[in-house]
Amino acid sequence: MAAVAFSILAAFGFASSAVLSRQGLQAIFPLPGVMVSLIFSFLFTGIMALLFAFSDIGSIPQAALLWILGLGIVNYFGGRTQNFLSVNLIGASRASLFVASQAPFAALFAVAFTGESLHLLVGLGTVGVVGGLIFASGTSILEGWRGDKIFVLGYLMALGAGASYGATNVMAKQTLEVFDSPLVITMLSMLVGMLVLAPLVGASTAHSGVHREKGQGFSKNLWSLRWVALAGIASGIAVISLYFAVQRADVVVISPIVSSSPLITLFLAHVFLARLERVTKRLLFGALLTVGGVVLVVIGNQL
């Protein structure tokens, strides 16, 4: 039951982060936004680790270091970076649907690399997830290369983020089997993510700057970072919750629950982003179909 509760908390965290980042990216460019969010994720997680897992910091086995390095690269370079870029291109609602593809990706990776079994319902659920994503995307993904290339690029990046997050879930499970400290693993992987992203963010900042509007005062520029900072804290809570969840249950059970976040994102976007995003009936039905597929994956993994 604790694993389910942590999974639901992770879903709320990821959904909130998507909506907050969408708002924040109106003021700053995506790559600096990723770094700002990651810094605040790291600060929040670092405080939690110092308060509740301080004794674990000095007892990290060498076998866990390689896994932590991989987590930092896959989760933040592959996952969060593509997630922010896709949110910037196609919006939080559509991006969250494709990021939800982490459920079938996680099931695939878990079966391929950790020996978990795949039930028929999991396969049917995966079809439901993919069908929901295609339906929700509408004609833009089918005709994108002719007239809507930016949207297709956004969909592909969101799908890449889903694959990265799916792989992250499996890697987190393996890391926790070597070093049973979710807080310290999260903190160190975020540090790796910042170090890996620094050159890319630095190049982007040198080329385009941080803020979309030039000539604003220092205090106004600093205040404009508040949304991505809050997105980083929300994402930090989500990642911590996710790692505590996979510590207690199989990845193929946890990932589909976390992947239900698109429904939460749609609700939050409708309430708080009405000016930026339009939640259509097609999008809502696609989300329901996607989450229905997720539910089948969950049931299939209980049989």
Side-chain angles (χ1 to χ4, degrees):
M1 188 63 186
V4 173
F6 278 121
S7 301
I8 294 172
L9 180 59
F12 272 91
F14 285 127
S16 301
S17 179
V19 173
L20 290 166
S21 63
R22 172 63 164 163
Q23 181 67 43
L25 292 176
Q26 302 308 298
I28 67 175
F29 291 106
L31 288 178
V34 173
M35 182 59 78
V36 172
S37 76
L38 189 50
I39 289 171
F40 277 85
S41 292
F42 175 74
L43 291 175
F44 175 81
T45 305
I47 292 171
M48 293 296 102
L50 291 174
L51 289 175
F52 301 108
F54 182 76
S55 60
D56 294 339
I57 297 176
S59 60
I60 306 171
Q62 288 187 341
L65 294 178
L66 189 60
W67 283 110
I68 292 172
L69 177 64
L71 272 176
I73 295 172
V74 175
N75 196 6
Y76 303 108
F77 184 77
R80 189 174 300 193
T81 300
Q82 291 190 92
N83 193 3
F84 266 58
L85 289 169
S86 65
V87 166
N88 180 61
L89 291 174
I90 62 177
S93 302
R94 288 180 173 81
S96 66
L97 285 173
F98 278 72
V99 172
S101 64
Q102 66 174 287
F105 277 118
L108 176 64
F109 295 144
V111 170
F113 298 109
T114 66
E116 294 184 16
S117 59
L118 188 66
H119 193 274
L120 175 62
L121 285 181
V122 176
L124 293 175
T126 301
V127 173
V129 170
V130 174
L133 298 181
I134 293 174
F135 187 87
S137 66
T139 59
S140 58
I141 196 171
L142 300 176
E143 301 176 356
W145 294 121
R146 291 201 297 270
D148 205 0
K149 294 182 178 62
I150 294 298
F151 262 57
V152 173
L153 180 61
Y155 290 134
L156 291 175
M157 285 187 170
L159 194 62
S164 297
Y165 287 142
T168 295
N169 296 346
V170 177
M171 294 172 68
K173 182 71 171 179
Q174 297 301 305
T175 310
L176 285 164
E177 291 182 358
V178 178
F179 179 45
D180 193 25
S181 182
L183 286 171
V184 176
I185 289 172
T186 305
M187 178 185 69
L188 293 179
S189 66
M190 287 176 175
L191 178 61
V192 171
M194 287 191 293
L195 294 175
V196 171
L197 282 169
L200 183 62
V201 175
S204 171
T205 302
H207 179 265
S208 304
V210 174
H211 298 88
R212 295 182 185 273
E213 294 184 18
K214 309 300 181 183
Q216 299 186 104
F218 175 77
S219 60
K220 191 171 184 180
N221 283 338
L222 194 63
W223 181 244
S224 68
L225 302 178
R226 67 191 184 280
W227 297 114
V228 287
L230 290 172
I233 294 173
S235 185
I237 294 172
V239 174
I240 292 171
S241 302
L242 173 63
Y243 288 6
F244 271 108
V246 298
Q247 182 188 39
R248 290 163 169 77
D250 289 340
V251 170
V252 289
V253 175
I254 298 305
S255 291
I257 300 174
V258 176
S259 296
S260 65
S261 63
L263 286 181
I264 305 170
T265 303
L266 284 175
F267 172 76
L268 294 176
H270 178 70
V271 174
F272 298 107
L273 298 179
R275 179 177 59 86
L276 296 176
E277 301 201 16
R278 182 165 166 258
V279 178
T280 64
K281 291 181 179 179
R282 172 183 285 273
L283 196 62
L284 179 59
F285 184 80
L288 291 173
L289 185 58
T290 299
V291 174
V294 165
V295 171
L296 285 179
V297 173
V298 173
I299 295 173
N301 280 288
Q302 302 301 312
L303 299 177

